[in-house]
């Protein structure tokens, strides 16, 4: 329990491979004994948040990713002929292994995962039942991953409806919220565009603006600058040096704001 009756919520945002920066942020928080009372996650943030909520630590996940980095690429060779390029079954098996098929009721820290219903277009918050399908739904980037049928809905990427889920933490009882937003202003420096860059920039503009709405009620916003990751080839994402670099970016951002975080904790 935090002093002064503060209940701190941690909102971990979407962002694909950028989500590794969440690990760096969490390492700094735990090292400095910043107790987290509630966790929410969207897309990549759902995966990292689910691990933290389940085990109460993050270094084992970091070690696993660094040790098995070359094993992650085959997870994406899981092709589907309907609904998405990738079926997602291999990802589900991977999630079951690292999350031990944990139920929301068994987590060390209360957890809420945000997904999006492809049918209604609305955000769907999952906080009961098995964690794995919730995470699998939240990370399901449309077209890339086949949508997941779950809870009478067709679930896709949580980032499409709530990329940095702050408000659910306040609804759950947090009176101080730290938000980690992975969409950075430095993404908009490039002025030369190929067709693929136009598509990517268009998506980034939408996500950047939506994330600003998502974080408006946060007490503190951490904004790791992972904007240069888009310059890498997808195969570079799974290299140890890339993983370490992204995690370090998260650590740097958290350390930069550590005094503010401690003030938030102590209600100064």
């Amino acid at each position: 329990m935090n002093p002064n009756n503060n209940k701190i919520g941690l909102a971990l945002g979407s962002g694909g491979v950028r989500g590794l920066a969440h690990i760096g942020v969490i390492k700094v928080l735990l090292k400095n004994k910043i107790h987290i009372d509630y966790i929410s996650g969207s897309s990549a943030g759902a995966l990292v948040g689910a691990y933290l909520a389940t085990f109460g630590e993050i270094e084992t996940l970091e070690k696993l990713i660094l040790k098995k980095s070359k094993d992650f690429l085959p997870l994406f060779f899981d092709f589907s002929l309907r609904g998405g390029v990738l079926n997602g079954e291999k990802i589900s098996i991977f999630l079951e292994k690292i999350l031990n098929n944990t139920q929301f009721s068994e987590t060390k820290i209360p957890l809420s995962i945000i997904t999006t219903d492809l049918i209604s277009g609305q955000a769907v918050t999952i906080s009961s039942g098995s964690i794995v399908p919730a995470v699998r739904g939240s990370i399901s980037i449309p077209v890339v991953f086949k949508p997941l049928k779950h809870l009478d809905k067709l679930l896709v990427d949580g980032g499409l409806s709530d990329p940095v889920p702050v408000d659910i933490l306040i609804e759950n009882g947090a009176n101080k919220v730290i938000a980690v937003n992975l969409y950075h202003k430095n993404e908009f420096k490039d002025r030369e565009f190929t067709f693929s860059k136009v598509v990517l920039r268009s998506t980034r503009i939408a996500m950047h603006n939506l994330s600003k709405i998502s974080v408006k009620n946060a007490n503190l916003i951490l904004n790791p600058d992972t904007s240069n990751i888009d310059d890498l080839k997808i195969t570079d994402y799974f290299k140890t040096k890339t993983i370490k670099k992204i995690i370090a970016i998260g650590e740097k951002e958290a350390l930069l704001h550590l005094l503010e975080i401690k003030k938030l904790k102590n209600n100064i």
Side-chain angles (χ1 to χ4, degrees):
M1 180 70 67
N2 286 308
N4 304 312
N5 294 317
N6 278 342
K7 291 188 176 182
I8 295 180
L10 178 64
L12 302 177
S14 65
V17 71
R18 300 167 180 224
L20 292 167
H22 291 315
I23 295 176
V25 169
I26 293 166
K27 284 175 65 178
V28 172
L29 295 179
L30 296 181
K31 183 177 180 180
N32 287 276
K33 302 187 186 311
I34 306 299
H35 180 81
I36 303 301
D37 296 283
Y38 303 96
I39 299 171
S40 65
S42 186
S43 198
L47 173 53
V48 179
Y51 193 93
L52 175 61
T54 299
F55 300 105
E57 56 91 11
I58 206 67
E59 291 192 1
T60 304
L61 178 62
E62 178 186 24
K63 291 175 182 177
L64 173 66
I65 292 174
L66 288 170
K67 183 178 180 180
K68 302 285 187 178
S69 59
K70 293 181 180 179
D71 295 339
F72 292 131
L73 191 57
L75 295 174
F76 293 87
F77 289 89
D78 182 17
F79 298 106
S80 169
L81 297 178
R82 298 183 62 187
V85 177
L86 304 180
N87 187 53
E89 289 185 7
K90 289 184 178 180
I91 289 289
S92 293
I93 293 171
F94 168 72
L95 292 173
E96 288 170 2
K97 287 182 179 179
I98 68 167
L99 296 173
N100 291 344
N101 281 321
T102 304
Q103 301 288 307
F104 279 90
S105 60
E106 299 172 326
T107 60
K108 295 180 182 297
I109 305 170
L111 171 69
S112 297
I113 289 178
I114 306 299
T115 64
T116 304
D117 181 15
L118 188 62
I119 298 171
S120 69
Q122 298 300 306
V124 177
T125 301
I126 305 177
S127 56
S128 62
S130 175
I131 290 178
V132 169
V135 175
R136 162 69 174 84
S138 190
I139 66 174
S140 296
I141 302 170
V143 181
V144 177
F145 283 105
K146 183 179 179 180
L148 179 70
K149 290 182 179 179
H150 185 61
L151 301 175
D152 296 323
K153 301 181 186 301
L154 202 55
L155 302 180
V156 292
D157 194 342
L160 294 175
S161 54
D162 195 356
V164 195
V166 167
D167 289 348
I168 186 62
L169 294 173
I170 298 171
E171 291 172 16
N172 287 344
N175 57 356
K176 302 289 183 181
V177 175
I178 301 169
V180 186
N181 180 11
L182 301 177
Y183 298 103
H184 199 280
K185 63 182 180 180
N186 285 345
E187 294 175 52
F188 304 111
K189 289 185 175 181
D190 195 345
R191 296 180 180 273
E192 296 183 4
F193 300 101
T194 60
F195 176 79
S196 61
K197 284 188 176 182
V198 169
V199 174
L200 182 61
R201 173 64 65 87
S202 299
T203 302
R204 289 284 183 256
I205 289 172
M207 297 306 298
H208 181 78
N209 287 303
L210 183 56
S211 67
K212 287 193 291 185
I213 296 172
S214 283
V215 300
K216 68 181 185 298
N217 291 321
N219 298 91
L220 178 62
I221 303 167
L222 303 182
N223 200 193
D225 184 5
T226 56
S227 56
N228 61 349
I229 298 303
D230 290 335
D231 297 330
L232 299 175
K233 297 177 182 178
I234 190 169
T235 51
D236 290 333
Y237 290 170
F238 304 94
K239 292 182 178 178
T240 299
K241 66 177 182 179
T242 302
I243 294 170
K244 288 182 176 180
K245 179 180 179 181
I246 301 174
I247 292 173
I249 290 171
E251 290 183 77
K252 180 181 178 181
E253 177 70 4
L255 287 170
L256 184 64
H257 295 276
L258 185 57
L259 182 59
E260 296 171 74
I261 294 170
K262 288 183 176 180
K263 287 181 177 180
L264 200 68
K265 169 189 172 183
N266 296 314
N267 203 26
I268 297 175

